[in-house]
Amino acid sequence: TVWLAVAVITFERSGHEVEELLDAQLAQAARVLLQITQAGHLPDLEGLPLPLYGPGHHYESKIAFQLWRDDALVSSFGGAQPEPLADAVGFSDRRIGETNWRVYGLASGQPGESLFVGQSYAIRQEFVWFLTIHALQPILWSLPLTLVLIWLAVGDGLRPLSRLAADIHKRSAERLLPIDETDIPSEIQPLTSALNRLLQQLEQALSAERRFAADASHELRTPLAVIRTQAQIARRSQDPTEQTEALESLIRGVDRAVHLCSQLLALARLDPEAAESLHPASHLGDALVRILEDKAAFARDKSVQVAVALPEDALCRVAMEPEALEVLVSNLVDNAIKYTPDGGQVRISAGRQGDRVVLRVTDSGPGIPQAERDRVLQRFYRRDGKATPGAGLGLSIVRRICELYGAEISLLDGDAGPGLCVEVRLRSAV
């Protein structure tokens, strides 16, 4: 397209320049012939054209001269017919026979006398084509070389993309290694970095999915087996007492399965991308009010007193999604009430320390030895000999939320005597 545009522009410019040059030559030739005419060197042919002698040049048949006096052809030569080349002085175009002429007319100064010089347009067209072809020859000669160079340059420029595509094609759900950026050109470095981030996020999502499937299948197997066993006992037994005990065990198994499912779903809903986004501010006090309303019956059944001490509202705003904050608080309060013996006490407090809001949930239960505090933060870990039902996911969910939202969790001794204090340092939104 570019070369075609260059050819058209070259043709138009060449035509313009040729027109200007040959028009000037026509005007100059007319004035020279006028001087010769005035000197009296032209024969008076009385209307007969002057024949051409000798081999001459083939252009001579395409050039004409006429001298008219009182509508009579006095002198002429060239290839024009014995009729006026033009009707008036100055430049004009005229078609005579099969030939188009460019004519310049000039008054001789004598009454009724005019001189005309004509040139066939065939000369001009040939001249224009000659100039255009010769001007475009370097481009035409370089066209094959240019195409080869473009093909090599584009191929060399796309080769890194081809290697990148082949490298990505080797990836699969089981093999999501990052792309090696050692020899990557700077032009596609942003693309490679973005792909590596995407592969990392995809790996995290697939790992979370696989982990959730493994956890669910592992943990649900036991309560479902217990539920099935107790249901079979209740169906076979004829003893009302035994049936009642089996049904109570069945209910406890269902409760445990429901609790486990809710914990697994809470763990699965935690989005690894949440820590990279801007989170709206959540109010810690509002979350605590809702959680304590949900846990009030549980605490009342165990005669556990729950004391809450919070600072002013403005100091309780934390940088966390409301749903994630409620899951975190719910697990802390649920664990504290669950492991506090009947008639015990749970204390919940919060305070501002620098750019952190520190939440403390302290129970009066048996506590956790120092050597096991790291392990209880792992999924499904339960201390040996613990009779309290649970899935071993509460504190691991709290730790995962802390990891996602830049918070910190610590397990400390109770304020006085046995017990456990869980301290969570949340990022303040104020």
Side-chain angles (χ1 to χ4, degrees), residues 75-89:
S75 296
S76 71
F77 61 83
Q81 300 293 327
E83 60 180 272
L85 287 172
D87 298 327
V89 297

Side-chain angles (χ1 to χ4, degrees), residues 281-341:
S282 301
H283 197 281
L284 180 59
D286 294 342
L288 273 171
V289 169
R290 288 190 291 269
I291 297 304
L292 291 177
E293 288 178 354
D294 293 341
K295 306 297 180 181
F298 183 27
R300 188 167 50 251
D301 291 342
K302 297 187 64 176
S303 300
V304 173
Q305 296 181 358
V306 179
V308 181
L310 296 178
E312 60 184 81
D313 291 349
L315 299 181
C316 286
R317 303 186 68 82
V318 297
M320 185 177 291
E321 296 284 354
E323 182 181 6
L325 180 61
E326 289 194 13
V327 172
L328 182 145
V329 174
S330 176
N331 278 280
L332 291 179
V333 174
D334 185 77
N335 270 7
I337 297 175
K338 182 187 302 181
Y339 290 101
T340 297

Side-chain angles (χ1 to χ4, degrees), residues 258-296:
V258 170
H259 176 73
L260 178 59
C261 288
S262 64
Q263 294 287 73
L264 288 172
L265 291 175
L267 190 61
R269 283 196 301 266
L270 298 179
D271 186 2
E273 297 181 0
E276 300 177 5
S277 61
L278 295 176
H279 312 296
S282 301
H283 197 281
L284 180 59
D286 294 342
L288 273 171
V289 169
R290 288 190 291 269
I291 297 304
L292 291 177
E293 288 178 354
D294 293 341
K295 306 297 180 181

